[in-house]
């Protein structure tokens, strides 16, 4: 995904093979998904940068009888710089979490949610 916001602090995908279920570029996917959610709230929003503030928290939720992981959670503490529809600049801090269930099956699905901790005009 090119042309998106600047991305900082995300560990390279090859250092986190347990995130393969999110695709080859999890950081770009996170920025895209986050941006889409923010645009739904304010169509003039433009995400400028996303910074991962620490190592992602990874949780294996379910391992099937064959020892295959079928559920994962991945949470990212992030800082987001954006411009809103009124051209004001904001710094948001929060946690972005992906939840993958039934991975590796025909029923596989991935959802996500955002927890906002702070929002500051900059």
């Amino acid at each position: 995904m090119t042309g998106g916001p600047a991305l900082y602090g995300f560990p390279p995908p090859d250092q986190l093979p347990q995130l393969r279920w999110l695709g080859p570029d999890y950081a770009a996917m996170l920025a895209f998904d986050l941006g889409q959610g923010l645009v739904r709230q304010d169509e003039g929003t433009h995400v400028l940068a996303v910074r991962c503030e620490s190592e992602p928290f990874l949780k294996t939720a379910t391992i099937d009888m064959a020892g295959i992981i079928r559920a994962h959670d991945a949470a990212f503490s992030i800082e987001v710089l954006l411009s809103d529809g009124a051209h004001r600049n904001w710094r948001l801090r929060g946690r972005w979490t992906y939840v993958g269930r039934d991975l590796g099956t025909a029923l596989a699905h991935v959802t996500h949610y955002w927890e906002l901790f702070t929002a500051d005009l900059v």
Side-chain angles (χ1 to χ4, degrees):
M1 294 180 198
T2 59
L7 302 174
Y8 302 99
F10 289 91
D14 62 342
Q15 289 182 6
L16 293 171
Q18 60 272 51
L19 289 180
R20 281 189 213 126
W21 57 280
L22 290 174
D25 191 350
Y26 73 89
M29 185 174 98
L30 184 155
F32 177 81
D33 289 341
L34 174 68
Q36 292 296 302
L38 293 169
V39 166
R40 279 193 296 274
Q41 295 175 40
D42 175 356
E43 64 184 40
T45 297
H46 179 72
V47 176
L48 305 170
V50 181
R51 182 173 67 91
C52 187
E53 295 185 311
S54 61
E55 288 290 317
F57 173 75
L58 307 172
K59 177 182 168 191
T60 300
T62 304
I63 301 175
D64 71 10
M65 298 296 285
I68 298 171
I69 297 171
R70 297 291 183 200
H72 268 294
D73 294 356
F76 302 85
S77 293
I78 58 173
E79 175 185 61
V80 181
L81 284 121
L82 62 86
S83 175
D84 68 14
H87 305 290
R88 295 174 298 197
N89 292 326
W90 292 87
R91 176 181 298 121
L92 310 179
R93 284 201 166 95
R95 182 173 34 243
W96 183 267
T97 302
Y98 281 107
V99 178
R101 297 296 180 261
D102 299 314
L103 300 172
T105 73
L107 300 174
H109 59 281
V110 177
T111 58
H112 51 76
Y113 61 94
W114 167 244
E115 296 171 89
L116 178 64
F117 301 145
T118 64
D120 299 302
L121 278 169
V122 291

